[in-house]
Amino acid sequence: MVQNHYTVFKHDKKARLGILRLERGSIRTPAFMPVGTGATVKAMKVEDIYALGADVILGNTYHLMLRPGTDTIKAHGGMHHFMQWKKPILTDSGGYQVFSLAKIRTIKEEGVYFQSHIDGSKHLLSPEKSMQVQHALNSDIQMVLDECITASTSRDNIAQSTELSLRWARRSKDAFYQDGKHLLFGIVQGGLEEDIRRYCTEALMDINFDGYAIGGLSVGEDQHDMLRIVDAVCTRVDSTKPRYLMGVGTPQDIILSVQLGVDMFDCVMPSRAGRHGLAFCKNGKVNLRNSVYKNDTRPLDETSDCPIANTYSRSYLHHLIKSKEILASMLLTQINLHYYQSLMSDIRQAIFRNEYDTFVKMTLQRLNANAAI
């Protein structure tokens, strides 16, 4: 029997307030994980990530096995020592990156044969290999290998792919190093087909994982379809285990998914947007590339408790972006990740007060009324 490390201590309808206890620290949920794909959250120092209040970050098997290589990280004792991050780390299995980045890939029963997007070298990523690499990375939460498919895949192919992902999930668990300190999450697939999603959820629960992720969303479907699938999975999955919506997303998506019972999120959006001049603020997004901010001496967001957002002027940030200064990426990434962590804190407080529905209504009204300019 898998030991349950997760405790839900408060409900506000479907929204949940919980804590996931791990050897390297506890994760307060609902939680947002900054993405540190290659053992770094781009443009951020580890000390600054700590200061944001993040409880966990995400790393990626595909990227790290290719560069710098498993042996290099293993020589440091794992990813934590390699990058000097002392709190929990979740590693994605690498399946999505093979799907999206590999130059050439061939999916077979044994795994995925692919060529590296870096140097064209040939590799096999199997469930066993993914578990081997994640064990060497010494991540606290590890993910099973699954097959990623496009949103336009036919129902028959979705069903076949889901069966393959389930077989890989069983092999992943068999290869997982179970010591009570590291957790393994299953991944629910099934496209936009609710019945296949429910079937996959139940099959994964029969295997019995420490948590359950919802994969294959945020790939071009509209928000209504995404939330429909999220609800279908959350109403069926084991309520005593954490639920992780992979690769999502916008503040609006996060707020509405929490309302359906999701506990964990990750997305490159806040850091990627920062590197492209887009800032997330309490009253919506601000596109600082826009020339309207050239002489705008107001702080970016004077209502924020982020020391960068409430100090640096829009004009200065606009200047840094236009000048292609590295500092622009650093400041805006920190502003955006601060916003996301503050959003999660506000979400947790609203659930604790039994005011989540009101929080959702008011926050969405404010965000939707202030589109980026």
Side-chain angles (χ1 to χ4, degrees):
M1 174 68 85
V2 177
Q3 179 183 354
N4 193 0
H5 296 251
Y6 189 57
T7 302
V8 177
F9 54 85
K10 178 73 175 174
H11 287 84
D12 186 351
K13 296 181 180 176
K14 293 181 180 180
R16 293 142 47 104
L17 196 63
I19 190 161
L20 180 58
R21 295 179 177 87
L22 300 167
E23 185 178 53
R24 291 188 177 89
S26 295
I27 302 171
R28 298 162 293 174
T29 66
F32 179 83
M33 298 180 282
V35 175
T37 301
T40 173
V41 177
K42 292 183 186 300
M44 291 287 290
K45 297 183 296 181
V46 165
E47 296 86 346
D48 293 331
I49 305 171
Y50 283 129
L52 296 173
D55 294 332
V56 54
I57 62 172
L58 180 144
N60 183 261
T61 296
Y62 170 90
H63 287 279
L64 293 170
M65 69 180 277
L66 294 180
R67 186 169 55 194
T70 307
D71 290 344
T72 298
I73 298 178
K74 190 175 182 179
H76 287 77
M79 190 172 166
H80 297 83
H81 293 292
F82 185 56
M83 67 177 294
Q84 298 301 310
W85 173 259
K86 307 303 183 186
K87 291 184 178 183
I89 294 174
L90 179 149
T91 46
D92 192 0
S93 67
Y96 176 77
Q97 285 70 32
V98 170
F99 166 78
S100 61
L101 294 177
K103 294 180 178 179
I104 300 174
R105 63 183 180 277
T106 303
I107 298 172
K108 295 189 175 182
E109 187 66 36
E110 57 266 35
V112 186
Y113 293 89
F114 70 94
Q115 283 187 271
S116 164
H117 73 289
I118 298 172
D119 60 9
S121 57
K122 296 180 180 180
H123 302 268
L124 167 64
L125 184 63
S126 65
E128 293 78 13
K129 178 66 173 180
S130 179
M131 290 295 98
Q132 177 188 348
V133 173
Q134 292 183 74
H135 178 59
L137 298 178
N138 201 19
S139 52
D140 304 271
I141 304 174
Q142 300 171 17
M143 306 299 299
V144 302
L145 182 66
D146 59 335
E147 182 187 8
C148 299
I149 56 177
T150 63
S152 60
T153 303
S154 69
R155 178 179 169 85
D156 285 347
N157 286 338
I158 289 172
Q160 293 174 14
S161 174
T162 300
E163 292 290 356
L164 179 61
S165 288
L166 286 171
R167 293 193 295 273
W168 285 359
R170 293 186 184 95
R171 287 168 55 190
S172 294
K173 185 171 182 183
D174 289 342
F176 173 63
Y177 183 73
Q178 300 189 45
D179 60 359
K181 299 178 181 179
H182 302 79
L183 307 187
L184 180 65
F185 282 20
I187 304 176
V188 179
Q189 289 289 354
L192 299 180
E193 307 292 335
E194 289 187 38
D195 59 329
I196 299 178
R197 287 279 184 172
R198 288 192 291 266
Y199 162 74
C200 186
T201 301
E202 291 168 1
L204 288 171
M205 286 193 293
D206 287 341
I207 301 172
N208 194 12
F209 290 96
D210 298 297
Y212 297 91
I214 307 171
L217 295 176
S218 192
V219 291
E221 78 283 352
D222 63 34
Q223 187 184 69
H224 176 268
D225 280 334
M226 183 197 76
L227 295 174
R228 174 174 59 82
I229 295 302
V230 167
D231 194 33
V233 173
C234 284
T235 55
R236 190 62 63 101
V237 77
D238 186 344
S239 63
T240 69
K241 305 288 179 68
R243 305 159 178 170
Y244 164 30
L245 180 54
M246 304 181 75
V248 176
T250 68
Q252 291 89 334
D253 287 344
I254 290 173
I255 290 166
L256 291 170
S257 297
V258 167
Q259 198 171 33
L260 298 174
V262 176
D263 306 302
M264 300 171 65
F265 302 87
D266 81 279
C267 190
V268 297
M269 183 173 292
S271 51
R272 180 175 291 169
R275 297 194 304 274
H276 290 85
L278 189 65
F280 286 88
C281 301
K282 184 176 181 179
N283 290 321
K285 294 178 289 186
V286 178
N287 182 1
L288 287 161
R289 301 183 69 87
N290 197 311
S291 60
V292 72
Y293 298 115
K294 181 177 181 180
N295 296 311
D296 191 337
T297 60
R298 295 174 297 167
L300 173 63
D301 186 356
E302 58 191 10
T303 67
S304 173
D305 61 357
C306 172
I308 298 172
N310 65 28
T311 301
Y312 289 91
S313 73
R314 301 178 184 202
S315 175
Y316 180 64
L317 295 171
H318 171 82
H319 159 69
L320 293 179
I321 293 164
K322 288 296 186 180
S323 302
K324 294 182 171 57
E325 290 287 349
I326 295 173
L327 184 58
S329 295
M330 296 171 64
L331 295 180
L332 287 171
T333 299
Q334 190 162 343
I335 287 169
N336 289 347
L337 288 174
H338 183 282
Y339 169 84
Y340 269 69
Q341 293 303 326
S342 294
L343 174 65
M344 303 316 294
S345 177
D346 291 344
I347 286 172
R348 293 192 293 266
Q349 292 177 36
I351 297 171
F352 180 79
R353 296 193 301 263
N354 285 318
E355 297 174 354
Y356 194 64
D357 284 352
T358 300
F359 170 84
V360 170
K361 181 179 179 181
M362 294 179 63
T363 304
L364 291 183
Q365 284 179 346
R366 185 177 68 247
L367 292 176
N368 293 335
N370 293 277
I373 60 171

